[in-house]
Amino acid sequence: MKSFLYALVGLMLSSLAMSCTVVKQGEVGVKRTFGRYADRPYTEGLRAFNPFTSVIVKVPVQTENMEVSLNLPSKEGLNIRADISILYNLQPSKAPDILREIGRSYEANVILPVFRSTVADVTARYFAKDMHTGQRAIIEEAIKTQMGGLLKDRGIIIEAVLIKSIQLPANLARAIEEKLEAEQRALRMEFVLQEAQQEAQRRRIEAEGVRDAQNIISQGLDPNLLQFKSIEAFLELAKSPNTKVIITDGDMPMLMDLQDTNVRQSGIRD
């Protein structure tokens, strides 16, 4: 009976000595016992540990957004103020190594120094105006690729580098705006010239069509056809009940209405 009581008391004491924590989705837990990190991280779920000897350190592994503001050097030696977002995540299996080799301040100890070095190296290859135009996406991709190569082995994955805002020097910004305005005016003028050329082409095609139609008509009006049409006209005049005077040279008839002639003559006599 006494042994049973001793066992029960021991079980109760050991239960009191245990503690629990919940590892949530989007993070892993690494158990540290007497200052040493375990090799295998815990995934999400309820995890027990001895609070007198161990602790579970939680590390986020979902996408994190690191905001940085700094001056970017350009190829011509200017400093361009920019706000940049670094999207990254940690490989879950590498969480113990990250805690051992870098610590929990991996953003300040590794990511930020690598980013500053990389961004200075990449942007120095481009002119300041390139950071304000379509070259920005190329610059972002170059920074991401170079950072990813340096941090991948450490278990840090760079998902994207986004340049959110650029503050160019006032003189440079004004020069870029003037250049863009000049390009817009040139494009408008090119459009006007194209419109004028298209209109001239349309008129030329229309004139050629009229000319071709006239040539076809003139070629079709041969003497035989004109004589045939003249005979048709004589036949139609012969069917008319009114008195007509027809003056002709045998080819083309000229018609005179006697009634209208008489009326005009009567008016003269009056």
Side-chain angles (χ1 to χ4, degrees), residues 20-35:
C20 295
T21 187
V22 176
V23 179
K24 302 177 182 178
Q25 288 185 339
E27 64 183 13
V28 295
V30 181
K31 187 175 182 179
R32 186 178 64 192
T33 303
F34 295 115

Side-chain angles (χ1 to χ4, degrees), residues 220-235 248-253:
L221 295 177
D222 59 2
N224 292 330
L225 178 60
L226 292 175
Q227 187 174 11
F228 175 74
K229 292 296 183 181
S230 178
I231 293 172
E232 283 186 338
F234 283 139
L235 291 175
T248 179
D249 58 356
D251 293 330
M252 298 296 294

Side-chain angles (χ1 to χ4, degrees), residues 33-268:
T33 303
F34 295 115
R36 294 176 60 86
Y37 287 102
D39 294 330
R40 184 177 178 182
Y42 292 134
T43 57
E44 64 271 9
L46 182 65
R47 304 298 176 181
F49 62 96
N50 185 345
F52 298 105
T53 61
S54 304
V55 65
I56 293 180
V57 179
K58 300 177 185 179
V59 180
V61 292
Q62 79 271 27
T63 299
E64 297 287 334
N65 180 18
M66 183 178 177
E67 302 278 349
V68 182
S69 296
L70 76 168
N71 292 323
L72 306 179
S74 67
K75 190 173 182 178
E76 63 265 56
L78 298 175
N79 287 323
I80 313 302
R81 190 67 181 175
D83 295 328
I84 301 177
S85 288
I86 305 169
L87 303 181
Y88 73 94
N89 66 75
L90 304 182
Q91 293 182 9
S93 60
K94 291 281 189 178
D97 294 333
I98 292 174
L99 291 175
R100 290 191 198 102
E101 299 171 7
I102 304 173
R104 302 180 68 175
S105 300
Y106 44 83
E107 280 192 353
N109 293 337
V110 173
I111 298 179
L112 186 57
V114 169
F115 168 72
R116 290 184 180 276
S117 174
T118 301
V119 77
D121 180 54
V122 172
T123 58
R125 309 172 199 163
Y126 294 87
F127 292 104
K129 63 182 181 62
D130 296 333
M131 305 177 196
H132 201 262
T133 60
Q135 296 288 328
R136 179 186 296 191
I138 299 175
I139 296 173
E140 292 173 343
E141 185 63 25
I143 297 172
K144 171 198 165 186
T145 301
Q146 190 164 326
M147 286 186 66
L150 295 172
L151 295 175
K152 185 177 180 180
D153 291 341
R154 290 182 172 269
I156 301 172
I157 305 300
I158 303 299
E159 298 180 10
V161 175
L162 306 175
I163 302 176
K164 299 193 299 181
S165 65
I166 292 287
Q167 297 178 8
L168 297 175
N171 294 338
L172 179 59
R174 185 166 56 253
I176 292 175
E177 290 176 359
E178 291 175 354
K179 180 182 178 181
L180 292 175
E181 290 176 358
E183 290 176 352
Q184 290 296 323
R185 288 194 297 269
L187 289 175
R188 283 196 298 269
M189 182 57 65
E190 183 178 351
F191 175 75
V192 171
L193 292 175
Q194 288 178 352
E195 250 190 351
Q197 290 174 355
Q198 291 174 355
E199 179 64 18
Q201 182 69 11
R202 184 191 67 80
R203 292 185 179 182
R204 184 162 49 252
I205 294 173
E206 184 179 358
E208 290 174 355
V210 172
R211 181 198 64 195
D212 293 343
Q214 291 175 346
N215 290 337
I216 293 172
I217 294 173
S218 62
Q219 291 173 4
L221 295 177
D222 59 2
N224 292 330
L225 178 60
L226 292 175
Q227 187 174 11
F228 175 74
K229 292 296 183 181
S230 178
I231 293 172
E232 283 186 338
F234 283 139
L235 291 175
E236 292 297 325
L237 290 172
K239 296 177 183 178
S240 176
N242 298 328
T243 303
K244 309 291 182 183
V245 175
I246 301 174
I247 302 173
T248 179
D249 58 356
D251 293 330
M252 298 296 294
M254 180 181 295
L255 178 62
M256 296 182 62
D257 191 335
L258 293 179
Q259 185 176 358
D260 291 342
T261 304
N262 292 335
V263 170
R264 287 195 298 269
Q265 290 176 351
S266 173
I268 294 172

